[in-house]
Amino acid sequence: MEKDSLSKWNLRQLRESKLTNLRKELETGTANTKAMYFVSLPTNQAHSNHPTGPNIAFAQKVHPSLIAKISDLVSSNICDVYEVKKIIQHYSDNELAKELGFKPHEHDRAFYPDITDIKNHVYKAKRALELSKLDQENLRLKLNEWAATDSENKFFFRPYIEANNASREETSDEQVEVQSDISQRFHGNSGEDDNWCEVLGSSKQCSQSFLYVHQASWQKKLLQRYGNMMCLLDATYKTTRYDLALFFVCVRTNVGYIVVAEFITQQEDAEHISEALLQLHSWNPTWKPEYFMTDYSEAELLAIEQ
């Protein structure tokens, strides 16, 4: 016991002595230093809950260069995911490979993303290009932009407003016309509500129903020239993610049927269709067709008779 106690005491004294000498050498700069790095890596048995080797490439995130490339394609109106995939593959094989100094493995999702990855990034790029996250606000801003390019274009836009928001946004058509920055060519207000899923219900549930009417200057000329004999009113569906019908007013010209106006109504009934046709007639006071051709739709027939 005495020898063990003595040896421990000697080791302690020796360690303190060495540390004291080391401090003095470090302070005076006479100590001999050497950098050493110790790295501890797990064995292959530790990787049991995730892939290893070449299979790890399947879990990689899309490379930032490819994300930027997808954004450029979307801004150029190239949004088809399969077309984007072909362009991305060619970009990874050539331009990106030169920048990296090596050709990525064909199974590496960072450089060869699958359809789902591309679809997600195309969607994100589209949302980034939008002026607003509210679709009605996007439409209002785009109408301002389109009307500024051609002063002869005619737009009528009335946003959908829920019934419980009537007190907050009670604005008449005359007031809307004054507030609009496109005088006498664009009618509408900002419409802060974007609950368009509710347009599937009755218009009686809202304080203001949605209505959009458009006619370009060249369409107005064709309507004035060919529209007093016979016009065609046709509705098409599933053109947007909203259950709204898109109506076309067409005339027969010397080269076939041409669309001379279009409008979207919240409800496909006589009241809303008639309102859109009356708005179109206000832009074309001399428009009085002798005949109208429509689908077998009572709403369209009643709207035309009104």
Side-chain angles (χ1 to χ4, degrees):
M1 294 294 294
E2 293 181 0
K3 291 183 179 180
D4 293 339
S5 300
L6 184 61
S7 60
K8 290 180 180 179
W9 174 258
N10 292 336
L11 288 174
R12 183 178 178 182
Q13 291 291 330
L14 181 61
R15 183 171 62 250
E16 291 180 355
S17 176
K18 292 291 185 182
L19 288 174
T20 302
N21 294 333
L22 179 60
R23 292 193 192 96
K24 292 180 180 180
E25 291 178 355
L26 290 173
E27 291 176 357
T28 58
T30 58
N32 295 325
T33 59
K34 187 180 190 180
M36 299 182 66
Y37 300 92
F38 296 91
V39 180
S40 178
L41 298 176
T43 61
N44 291 333
Q45 287 74 17
H47 302 278
S48 58
N49 297 322
H50 57 84
T52 58
N55 295 330
I56 196 174
F58 289 102
Q60 295 295 323
K61 295 182 178 180
V62 181
H63 195 273
S65 298
L66 293 188
I67 296 176
K69 183 66 175 179
I70 293 175
S71 298
D72 292 340
L73 294 175
V74 172
S75 62
S76 301
N77 203 25
I78 301 176
C79 302
D80 183 76
V81 291
Y82 294 98
E83 185 176 358
V84 172
K85 184 177 181 180
K86 292 180 181 179
I87 298 175
I88 289 299
Q89 288 178 346
H90 183 270
Y91 176 74
S92 298
D93 291 338
N94 298 276
E95 300 178 31
L96 188 57
K98 291 180 181 179
E99 295 178 6
L100 299 174
F102 65 91
K103 187 179 183 303
H105 194 273
E106 59 181 0
H107 297 304
D108 194 340
R109 285 181 64 178
F111 303 99
Y112 299 96
D114 59 13
I115 290 296
T116 303
D117 293 334
I118 295 175
K119 189 180 297 184
N120 291 335
H121 284 286
V122 167
Y123 173 77
K124 291 180 181 179
K126 285 182 177 180
R127 297 297 290 181
L129 291 174
E130 290 180 353
L131 301 174
S132 171
K133 292 184 179 180
L134 305 179
D135 287 340
Q136 292 194 114
E137 179 66 9
N138 275 324
L139 177 58
R140 186 186 68 83
L141 295 174
K142 291 300 291 186
L143 291 180
N144 280 277
E145 179 182 334
W146 292 336
T149 59
D150 188 350
S151 59
E152 298 297 326
N153 283 343
K154 299 292 185 179
F155 297 96
F156 181 92
F157 171 52
R158 185 179 63 207
Y160 165 80
I161 300 178
E162 288 183 289
N164 56 2
N165 292 326
S167 60
R168 185 180 63 181
E169 297 191 33
E170 290 183 351
T171 309
S172 64
D173 290 342
E174 289 77 16
Q175 291 174 325
V176 164
E177 184 176 359
V178 174
Q179 293 173 357
S180 175
D181 54 353
I182 308 176
S183 177
Q184 299 179 358
R185 291 183 289 112
F186 170 71
H187 302 254
N189 59 24
S190 60
E192 297 178 359
D193 300 286
D194 195 45
N195 301 321
W196 280 23
C197 59
E198 306 239 353
V199 300
L200 305 181
S202 172
S203 60
K204 296 180 181 179
Q205 299 174 356
C206 62
S207 64
Q208 181 171 282
S209 60
F210 176 84
L211 179 62
Y212 168 72
V213 188
H214 167 251
Q215 186 181 46
S217 56
W218 63 269
Q219 291 177 315
K220 184 175 182 179
K221 294 178 181 178
L222 290 177
L223 181 62
Q224 292 174 349
R225 183 169 183 177
Y226 298 101
N228 289 327
M229 177 59 69
M230 186 182 72
C231 292
L232 169 66
L233 180 62
D234 186 32
T236 183
Y237 305 89
K238 297 183 179 180
T239 56
T240 67
R241 62 192 179 100
Y242 302 105
D243 190 14
L244 299 172
L246 172 62
F247 289 87
F248 295 109
V249 179
C250 307
V251 296
R252 181 178 176 82
T253 67
N254 58 333
V255 294
Y257 285 94
I258 302 295
V259 177
V260 293
E262 55 275 344
F263 59 88
I264 301 175
T265 61
Q266 178 172 322
Q267 298 291 330
E268 193 179 352
D269 55 17
E271 179 184 355
H272 290 78
I273 298 174
S274 176
E275 184 182 8
L277 291 175
L278 288 173
Q279 179 61 44
L280 182 61
H281 185 269
S282 67
W283 296 336
N284 305 272
T286 60
W287 178 43
K288 294 181 179 180
E290 296 184 13
Y291 304 98
F292 239 108
M293 183 167 61
T294 69
D295 297 329
Y296 187 70
S297 170
E298 292 185 5
E300 295 179 9
L301 293 173
L302 289 175
I304 293 173
E305 290 176 355
Q306 292 175 6

